[in-house]
Amino acid sequence: MELPIPPFSTPYTARLNPHARQARDHLRAWSRQMHFVCDGPTGERFDAVLLDRLAAWTYPYADERKIPLMADWMGWFFAFDDILDDTPEGRNQDFARSVAESINSVYDGFCSRSALQPGIEPYREALSDLWARTTADMPEPWCRRLATDLAEYLNSYRTQALVNTHRVPLTEDAYRTHRLASSAVMVSLDIAEFATGHPLPESLLVHPLVRIARESANNVVSWVNDLYSAPKELSLGDLCNYVAVLQQLGGCSLQEAAEGVAMRVTGQTERFLRAEQAIHTQLIPHVSPSEQRALRLALHGFSCWMNGNPAWSAESTRYHARQIPAAEPG
């Protein structure tokens, strides 16, 4: 399926982390060490997706000590996503629930390890490693936020399974709400604060302007991802893609739907830039120097994700169309 990417705008120019090679080497070794990627054809396909480059594009400021961890997170997200996106089992709600509970148990402790679905253990062990390495020196409120955002991401797969099994598309507003969690961008923005070493205090995170900036950044990244992933996801019959939502609801062509998504991406970029300017003029002058630094770094982190994600998407093999067999309803 061919679906040309319509033009859209992001805030600034993308730049690549100077330690990209270290990110590549570490992710290749770590993914094998954790046993969720094998050598041979499967491993070669994983490496070709260039998830180390995604980390290098979206965390260009991470130093040589932290960029390997950023790359490991990206590798885990996309390898785990394939369990539920690219398999018939992923459209079974019970399977999606069981997998989410198993992975959530890394930080909530409520799931028995004996309840693990076959093949899930390596992903659970890998997330346990990521969790320990990421949270060791971070404040407790930040760790709770990371856990909450991870849980919302994992549990979003149940909605996706429901939609795709019963073939009932979400409304546009419902899809936009769903996508805020299902994209894992909130988690990715959380760990950006780990990369800078300056987590946002919760009192600033809930400020309306910061909320708008964070949500707009999430929307830009998520919807650009939908544009690039549409050929692959539509070939799988996935209705949880913004292009599919607009095409189903509007009765338009896929290209017209893609153009509608691109227009909305540009709108969210403009929304982010307005919020960013307001934060600089209305909020930053009235907070402490340490909070000023955290805000500036957070805004930079938001824009790096908006700029870097399209740069990676254009060079990755991730979004080639492919088919999976239909799943049994469940």
Side-chain angles (χ1 to χ4, degrees):
M1 177 188 298
E2 292 292 330
L3 188 65
I5 305 296
F8 57 84
S9 69
T10 57
Y12 306 110
T13 302
R15 62 187 181 90
L16 193 68
N17 191 294
H19 309 296
R21 178 170 292 184
Q22 290 169 254
R24 180 198 65 189
D25 293 344
H26 191 276
L27 176 58
R28 287 185 180 181
W30 180 79
S31 61
R32 274 69 171 181
Q33 177 189 346
M34 292 290 108
H35 304 295
F36 67 83
V37 171
C38 304
D39 289 323
T42 301
E44 290 162 3
R45 191 176 80 175
F46 176 84
D47 295 340
V49 176
L50 305 178
L51 295 168
D52 51 287
R53 297 276 292 184
L54 174 60
W57 279 117
T58 55
Y59 302 102
Y61 48 84
D63 64 28
E64 60 186 335
R65 296 173 297 110
K66 292 184 175 179
I67 190 62
L69 179 58
M70 302 296 101
D72 292 350
W73 270 106
M74 297 304 104
W76 184 87
F77 275 127
F78 281 82
F80 175 77
D81 184 72
D82 284 346
I83 300 172
L84 293 159
D85 264 3
D86 285 10
T87 64
E89 293 84 3
R91 295 187 181 179
N92 182 293
Q93 284 193 81
D94 289 337
F95 179 82
R97 174 190 52 76
S98 176
V99 169
E101 288 179 354
S102 298
I103 302 298
N104 280 334
S105 67
V106 167
Y107 43 84
D108 68 22
F110 291 134
C111 180
S112 168
R113 292 170 66 90
S114 63
L116 284 174
Q117 290 284 345
I120 300 303
E121 179 66 11
Y123 298 92
R124 186 186 182 283
E125 292 298 325
L127 183 60
S128 180
D129 180 73
L130 291 171
W131 178 262
R133 291 159 60 198
T134 307
T135 60
D137 297 318
M138 295 296 280
E140 181 59 30
W142 182 88
C143 295
R144 288 196 301 269
R145 187 207 324 158
L146 178 62
T148 297
D149 288 340
L150 271 168
E152 290 187 356
Y153 158 68
L154 291 163
N155 292 326
S156 72
Y157 283 105
R158 295 188 67 185
T159 298
Q160 185 161 310
L162 179 66
V163 169
N164 285 326
T165 297
H166 296 286
R167 315 305 297 164
V168 179
L170 296 168
T171 66
E172 183 173 359
D173 285 346
Y175 177 75
R176 288 167 68 145
T177 299
H178 166 72
R179 197 71 174 113
L180 286 171
S182 71
S183 64
V185 172
M186 287 305 188
V187 180
S188 301
L189 298 180
D190 290 339
I191 62 175
E193 297 171 36
F194 167 86
T196 66
H198 293 272
L200 273 173
E202 301 305 298
S203 58
L204 291 180
L205 190 75
V206 299
H207 190 282
L209 290 173
V210 177
R211 282 180 178 242
I212 290 171
R214 200 166 185 246
E215 180 181 276
S216 299
N218 188 332
N219 288 338
V220 168
V221 176
S222 301
W223 303 351
V224 166
N225 176 269
D226 281 356
L227 285 171
Y228 278 95
S229 66
K232 171 203 164 190
E233 292 177 350
L234 294 175
S235 76
L236 304 178
D238 189 352
L239 295 179
C240 287
N241 179 292
Y242 211 165
V243 175
V245 169
L246 293 186
Q247 194 273 334
Q248 290 271 339
L249 295 177
C252 57
S253 70
L254 287 175
Q255 190 60 44
E256 289 170 333
E259 290 167 0
V261 173
M263 179 185 68
R264 288 160 172 78
V265 168
T266 296
Q268 290 298 305
T269 294
E270 294 167 352
R271 182 178 180 234
F272 170 81
L273 290 170
R274 290 193 297 270
E276 180 185 45
Q277 180 61 34
I279 289 168
H280 280 292
T281 59
Q282 300 175 30
L283 181 56
I284 286 180
H286 305 293
V287 299
S288 70
S290 64
E291 291 174 331
Q292 291 177 5
R293 179 168 177 76
L295 280 168
R296 291 191 180 100
L297 288 169
L299 289 170
H300 181 57
F302 298 166
S303 66
C304 285
W305 257 99
M306 288 186 278
N307 304 325
N309 179 57
W312 167 75
S313 297
E315 67 181 13
S316 173
T317 64
R318 169 73 179 173
Y319 299 118
H320 292 178
R322 57 185 184 272
Q323 298 285 344
I324 61 171
E328 293 296 325

